[in-house]
Amino acid sequence: MEEKQSHADADLSPDPGGAGTEDHGPEKMISRQLTEQSRFAFAALCGVSLGQLFVGSENSVFKERYLQGLVQWLDLDESVMPVMGAFLSGLGFEGIDTFLSILQADPLVAAGATPVIQDLVSLSVKDGQYDARARVLIRHVSCLLRVSPQQLEEFEETLGERLREAGEESEEESSRRRRRERGRKLRRYLLIGLATVGGGTVIGVTGGLAAPLVAAGAGAVLGAGGAAALGSAAGIAIIASLFGAAGAGLTGYKMNKCVGAIEEFEFRPMSSGKHLHLTVAVTGWLCSGKYSSFQAPWCSLGECGEQYCLVWESRFLRDLGSAMTSLLDGLVSMVAQEALKYTVLSGIVTALTWPASLLAAASVIDNPWCVCLNRSAEVGKHLAQVLRSRQQGQRPVSLIGFSLGARVIYYCLQELASDKGSEGVVEDVVLLGAPVDGSEKSWERMVRVVAGKIVNGYCRGDWLLGFLYRSSAAQLSVAGLQPINIQDRRIINVDLSSV
């Protein structure tokens, strides 16, 4: 039975190579082939899920537009919109099981719901904007329909590769176009494209020349209708919007001069391939040996999507790493080792109880720590500006960082929260040992710009973080040392004390 089901899924899934079939319409429009009852159940399931996942008023416009687009995509009558609006407002939760049963009983879904989820992805990217909230919805509905995250990742990767390939030109075609465009105003955009890593060119200025390529590549994934739409001038602009004007994502961004107090800020790729979503990892400090590079701490990061590490203020982070090493080495021979042991076990982190010998060594680390605290806040604000300007294109971004890297992300979110319209950029956030304020007030404000989850990984016995924060521990709570007490479905506290 399982073997038969896997074959059925394979038949309904798009061919990654784009070969073997000529009419890809059925894959793309499979949701329209559902019965009317099943289409209504699918729209209702998405409507109820949207109402559950995004309760703030800042998400109202997105929810209404997305559900309106889904109703049209499914070819449902407009008369269902008042009911769908009720689902968005929070009604209908008790009907989820009924909607699922109706949908799963449909002959087209009985063998597996993967094609329906693929169709939902196609709907979400067809306008050139893959909103982080749309991806959170897709992941949620995928879970309800028992579509594995791997299947979703694979389809997104295939679709992303095809769309990116559709915008690339051969050397001969590129040469002919440059000759035609010489002297035109669009030439300056071309130069931007040629400067990006990998030699990507600006898809927005390729005009009709790239249209057949767009149609051939995207059509293999999106179907014949999608190919026709993406092959038009408007379609080319859609792809440019989705992946960024220069076509190189964050790889093409590098700060050419100092911005305020920031001396170094750029992105380095950690994975190959193109994807519809990306992850940015932020390192907290640098030290000698194995962890002397920004990429080293992330060698075990799961391989999914595009992955970048943020390179920032390496000179100061190395100074901090050296100071930490000197401090730790000195503690080994300290007579006060037993007192330190007592302090760690008791969980006391206030400045009043630190051993005098340890406080005497504080001068080794105080200055680099304070410098890096200030720099990380500035880097976080600049990261927010980069994401807000959509250097990565109209794609969702997940952020992960430890120590001062987590602080960078914290200030990035605070900066995004200060501007309206920043929702839909950030998907998920993971903060490990974050040296930031853990009070409710500071977190409630920034939660609204995260579509998915905010994971706060803390360690109650992290004596080094407590020691570094000793001067302020009495005044405020530290996120890296304790859970964040906010009643919000997006906040997940993970106690890492055991490891």
Side-chain angles (χ1 to χ4, degrees), residues 192 195-197 246-255 267 308 391:
I192 294 174
T196 60
V197 173
L250 293 177
T251 311
Y253 179 86
K254 183 177 180 180
M255 192 181 68
F267 299 92
Y308 302 88
Q391 295 290 329

Short mmCIF file of all heavy atoms in Angstrom, two decimals, residues 192 195-197 246-255 267 308 391:
data_model
loop_
_atom_site.label_atom_id
_atom_site.label_comp_id
_atom_site.label_asym_id
_atom_site.label_seq_id
_atom_site.Cartn_x
_atom_site.Cartn_y
_atom_site.Cartn_z
N ILE A 192 25.16 46.60 -12.69
CA ILE A 192 24.92 46.06 -11.35
C ILE A 192 24.81 44.55 -11.42
O ILE A 192 25.39 43.82 -10.63
CB ILE A 192 23.63 46.66 -10.75
CG1 ILE A 192 23.81 48.17 -10.51
CG2 ILE A 192 23.27 45.95 -9.45
CD1 ILE A 192 22.55 48.85 -10.05
N ALA A 195 28.08 42.68 -11.90
CA ALA A 195 28.99 42.73 -10.76
C ALA A 195 28.65 41.70 -9.70
O ALA A 195 29.41 41.47 -8.78
CB ALA A 195 28.96 44.12 -10.12
N THR A 196 27.50 41.05 -9.82
CA THR A 196 27.09 40.11 -8.79
C THR A 196 27.82 38.79 -8.93
O THR A 196 28.30 38.43 -9.99
CB THR A 196 25.57 39.84 -8.86
OG1 THR A 196 25.28 39.30 -10.16
CG2 THR A 196 24.79 41.12 -8.66
N VAL A 197 27.91 38.09 -7.80
CA VAL A 197 28.60 36.81 -7.80
C VAL A 197 27.88 35.84 -8.72
O VAL A 197 26.67 35.71 -8.68
CB VAL A 197 28.65 36.23 -6.37
CG1 VAL A 197 29.21 34.82 -6.39
CG2 VAL A 197 29.48 37.13 -5.48
N ALA A 246 19.19 42.34 -8.88
CA ALA A 246 20.48 41.93 -9.41
C ALA A 246 20.59 40.42 -9.59
O ALA A 246 21.55 39.93 -10.15
CB ALA A 246 21.61 42.40 -8.49
N GLY A 247 19.60 39.68 -9.12
CA GLY A 247 19.58 38.25 -9.33
C GLY A 247 20.57 37.47 -8.51
O GLY A 247 20.74 36.28 -8.72
N ALA A 248 21.27 38.08 -7.58
CA ALA A 248 22.29 37.37 -6.81
C ALA A 248 21.94 37.25 -5.33
O ALA A 248 22.75 36.79 -4.54
CB ALA A 248 23.64 38.07 -6.96
N GLY A 249 20.75 37.69 -4.95
CA GLY A 249 20.36 37.60 -3.56
C GLY A 249 21.28 38.43 -2.68
O GLY A 249 21.79 39.48 -3.08
N LEU A 250 21.52 37.95 -1.47
CA LEU A 250 22.35 38.68 -0.53
C LEU A 250 23.83 38.62 -0.89
O LEU A 250 24.62 39.42 -0.39
CB LEU A 250 22.14 38.14 0.89
CG LEU A 250 20.76 38.38 1.49
CD1 LEU A 250 20.67 37.73 2.86
CD2 LEU A 250 20.43 39.86 1.58
N THR A 251 24.21 37.66 -1.75
CA THR A 251 25.63 37.55 -2.12
C THR A 251 26.13 38.81 -2.79
O THR A 251 27.30 39.17 -2.68
CB THR A 251 25.84 36.36 -3.08
OG1 THR A 251 25.19 35.21 -2.52
CG2 THR A 251 27.31 36.06 -3.26
N GLY A 252 25.25 39.49 -3.51
CA GLY A 252 25.67 40.69 -4.22
C GLY A 252 25.75 41.92 -3.36
O GLY A 252 26.17 42.99 -3.84
N TYR A 253 25.37 41.79 -2.06
CA TYR A 253 25.40 42.96 -1.19
C TYR A 253 26.69 43.00 -0.38
O TYR A 253 27.07 42.03 0.25
CB TYR A 253 24.21 42.96 -0.22
CG TYR A 253 24.24 44.17 0.70
CD1 TYR A 253 23.69 45.38 0.31
CD2 TYR A 253 24.87 44.10 1.94
CE1 TYR A 253 23.74 46.48 1.13
CE2 TYR A 253 24.93 45.20 2.78
CZ TYR A 253 24.36 46.40 2.37
OH TYR A 253 24.43 47.50 3.18
N LYS A 254 27.35 44.12 -0.40
CA LYS A 254 28.51 44.34 0.45
C LYS A 254 28.60 45.82 0.77
O LYS A 254 28.46 46.67 -0.10
CB LYS A 254 29.80 43.88 -0.25
CG LYS A 254 31.03 44.03 0.62
CD LYS A 254 32.28 43.51 -0.07
CE LYS A 254 33.52 43.67 0.81
NZ LYS A 254 34.74 43.16 0.14
N MET A 255 28.80 46.11 2.03
CA MET A 255 28.91 47.50 2.46
C MET A 255 30.25 48.07 1.96
O MET A 255 31.32 47.58 2.33
CB MET A 255 28.84 47.58 3.98
CG MET A 255 28.66 48.99 4.53
SD MET A 255 28.61 48.98 6.33
CE MET A 255 30.30 48.52 6.70
N PHE A 267 27.62 39.49 3.41
CA PHE A 267 27.06 38.15 3.49
C PHE A 267 27.91 37.18 2.69
O PHE A 267 28.33 37.49 1.58
CB PHE A 267 25.63 38.13 2.95
CG PHE A 267 24.69 39.03 3.70
CD1 PHE A 267 24.48 40.34 3.29
CD2 PHE A 267 24.00 38.56 4.81
CE1 PHE A 267 23.61 41.17 3.97
CE2 PHE A 267 23.13 39.38 5.50
CZ PHE A 267 22.93 40.69 5.08
N TYR A 308 23.24 31.87 4.32
CA TYR A 308 24.31 32.86 4.36
C TYR A 308 24.74 33.05 5.80
O TYR A 308 23.95 32.87 6.73
CB TYR A 308 23.84 34.21 3.80
CG TYR A 308 23.33 34.17 2.38
CD1 TYR A 308 21.99 33.88 2.11
CD2 TYR A 308 24.18 34.42 1.32
CE1 TYR A 308 21.52 33.84 0.81
CE2 TYR A 308 23.71 34.39 0.01
CZ TYR A 308 22.38 34.10 -0.23
OH TYR A 308 21.92 34.06 -1.54
N GLN A 391 16.97 43.36 -0.39
CA GLN A 391 18.16 42.93 -1.12
C GLN A 391 18.05 41.45 -1.47
O GLN A 391 18.64 41.00 -2.45
CB GLN A 391 19.41 43.18 -0.27
CG GLN A 391 19.70 44.65 -0.01
CD GLN A 391 20.16 45.39 -1.25
OE1 GLN A 391 20.79 44.81 -2.12
NE2 GLN A 391 19.84 46.66 -1.33
#
